[in-house]
Amino acid sequence: MQEEGRRRLLEDNLEKLMRTYTNVFDLGNLDEALKEAFEIKKDRYKYEALGRHKTCLLIFFNNSLRTRLSTQKAARNLGMDVIVLDVNQGAWKLETERGVVMDGDKSEHLLEAIPVMGCYCDMIGVRSFARFENREEDYTEKILNQFVQYSGRPVFSMEAATCHPLQAFADLITIEEYKRAKRPKVVLTWAPHPRALPQAVPNSFADFMNEADVDFVITQPEGYELDPKFVRGARVEYDQRKAFEGADFIYAKNWSCPGVTNPADYGRVLSKDMRWCVDSGHMSWTNNAFFMHCLPVRRGMIVTDDVIEAPTSLVIPEAANREISATLVLKRILEDL
Ligand code: CP
């Protein structure tokens, strides 16, 4: 599409107030968001009329089970129609770089595809993981921001290169539901994994915990330091046992090297140290902590069977709360249309 055409398409939509949900700050006051989430949980169809004749488009560049199902369910709770597009299955292969001669296998440019997608919906959810090719492109959220810039629609993240805020909000809701102390100790622990995984989940979890009223500790092997903009004032403890002592919640997750201390290591697997796998011995160091993980999880790598199957495992309630976090976010977007 020519620049003029794209500009006109955007102008057509500019009178609509844009809203994005890409990080914790888009939620505003977290206590109010939690209160609203619990109201929704009591009656998830209360706002069914809000989405009448509105369409929610969900774009997946990467696989998903929970996000795909819970976000569709949330949109339907609000009375919306839903369109789901798996970009790599059935759509044209998309070029994402400007200035390239498209003589390969990519038939369509993202810069035309995005505004076209915007024509068919009222809001767009995007899943687009880190590619690990260029840290700066990942950490400036190049793909997600192109949707924000060119779709003419409110955009929400369904896990982008650096953040997964729908997951982290569901995690916070779960912690609020199960906490036994007013200000619980919450520990984010790195755990081993055979493949290089993005940092989006731990980044967003850190973002939310730093905003919530919790005692937050991050533990990981040397070299796995998360980006300072997500760690902020959190305590970082390299001794996993010390970190676990007195914990009320253990949140396990693997992430690949964030490349903070050595940019050349960005996206690499630096360790598969099985001593970091969360087993019953690790859990015995805690204050009878609840176990959390965003799923999907590799048993025997991240966590042992007995820990994930224990009554203190919250992985299923946590996944169930994805419907609530998505319902709240989509509701707020609808209210601003
Ligand atoms: N936790 C999460 O986002 O799960 P999916 O990747 O299955 O959507």
Side-chain angles (χ1 to χ4, degrees):
M1 182 184 294
Q2 297 300 308
E3 202 57 40
E4 172 65 8
R6 183 178 299 117
R7 193 178 56 73
R8 277 214 311 275
L9 208 149
L10 286 177
E11 278 175 4
D12 282 351
N13 295 310
L14 272 183
E15 63 276 14
K16 299 189 180 210
L17 184 60
M18 296 297 128
R19 265 205 73 138
T20 57
Y21 179 61
T22 61
N23 61 53
V24 65
F25 303 108
D26 292 330
L27 272 187
N29 183 299
L30 269 192
D31 288 336
E32 283 171 21
L34 279 170
K35 206 169 138 209
E36 197 176 322
F38 291 122
E39 268 175 29
I40 288 169
K41 196 157 181 175
K42 270 192 218 137
D43 179 4
R44 62 197 71 199
Y45 304 110
K46 185 172 173 187
Y47 302 98
E48 211 173 352
L50 260 184
R52 191 170 129 78
H53 293 170
K54 298 281 189 262
T55 300
C56 178
L57 175 59
L58 307 180
I59 309 288
F60 288 91
F61 287 86
N62 309 95
N63 294 341
S64 166
L65 186 154
R66 279 143 291 274
T67 306
R68 176 185 301 267
L69 299 183
S70 62
T71 315
Q72 287 186 65
K73 178 68 168 62
R76 296 206 168 101
N77 291 346
L78 296 160
M80 276 191 277
D81 291 322
V82 189
I83 304 173
V84 180
L85 177 67
D86 286 290
V87 174
N88 298 321
Q89 290 166 24
W92 302 110
K93 266 196 159 178
L94 294 176
E95 176 58 64
T96 57
E97 296 302 314
R98 274 191 85 244
V100 294
V101 176
M102 289 171 57
D103 59 356
D105 63 341
K106 292 173 178 164
S107 308
E108 178 152 27
H109 203 288
L110 198 64
L111 293 179
E112 284 78 57
I114 290 174
V116 168
M117 293 177 201
C119 295
Y120 307 137
C121 65
D122 299 281
M123 63 179 73
I124 304 183
V126 181
R127 167 160 284 204
S128 174
F129 289 173
R131 298 174 173 200
F132 297 140
E133 288 163 7
N134 179 322
R135 187 181 194 278
E136 195 192 328
E137 282 188 5
D138 287 343
Y139 269 73
T140 53
E141 291 288 4
K142 185 178 166 190
I143 301 291
L144 184 69
N145 282 328
Q146 285 183 329
F147 276 89
V148 172
Q149 194 175 353
Y150 296 120
S151 69
R153 300 295 177 212
V155 170
F156 60 95
S157 167
M158 298 194 298
E159 185 172 346
T162 62
C163 289
H164 194 359
L166 285 173
Q167 177 65 53
F169 186 38
D171 298 333
L172 177 64
I173 294 169
T174 311
I175 289 170
E176 192 64 23
E177 280 179 318
Y178 284 86
K179 72 181 186 186
R180 295 172 294 220
K182 185 171 174 340
R183 192 166 186 275
K185 179 175 178 182
V186 178
V187 177
L188 167 64
T189 181
W190 179 92
H193 193 280
R195 293 180 45 233
L197 297 188
Q199 295 110 40
V201 168
N203 285 345
S204 272
F205 189 71
D207 239 357
F208 273 73
M209 290 305 108
N210 280 321
E211 291 299 309
D213 189 16
V214 301
D215 172 16
F216 181 49
V217 179
I218 303 172
T219 184
Q220 84 248 326
E222 300 261 358
Y224 279 98
E225 293 78 11
L226 294 169
D227 192 288
K229 79 174 176 186
F230 299 108
V231 176
R232 291 188 262 152
R235 181 180 141 210
V236 176
E237 173 58 69
Y238 292 95
D239 181 331
Q240 196 186 26
R241 182 173 186 144
K242 269 194 197 156
F244 274 44
E245 278 165 6
D248 298 297
F249 293 88
I250 297 296
Y251 194 97
K253 184 70 184 84
N254 172 266
W255 60 90
S256 62
C257 175
V260 170
T261 43
N262 184 3
D265 283 340
Y266 174 59
R268 287 185 53 206
V269 174
L270 302 180
S271 169
K272 292 182 188 169
D273 187 344
M274 292 303 291
R275 287 173 300 180
W276 286 74
C277 172
V278 179
D279 63 18
S280 54
H282 289 72
M283 295 304 282
S284 73
W285 302 333
T286 70
N287 180 28
N288 193 26
F290 290 107
F291 175 82
M292 299 179 74
H293 188 281
C294 63
L295 304 182
V297 71
R298 297 225 183 192
R299 289 180 178 215
M301 294 288 306
I302 303 279
V303 60
T304 53
D305 291 319
D306 54 341
V307 171
I308 198 168
E309 290 170 4
T312 43
S313 169
L314 297 181
V315 294
I316 305 303
E318 201 181 338
N321 277 333
R322 291 293 306 276
E323 178 188 342
I324 306 305
S325 68
T327 304
L328 179 141
V329 167
L330 272 52
K331 167 187 172 279
R332 287 189 173 187
I333 293 173
L334 281 169
E335 286 168 342
D336 276 352
L337 284 178

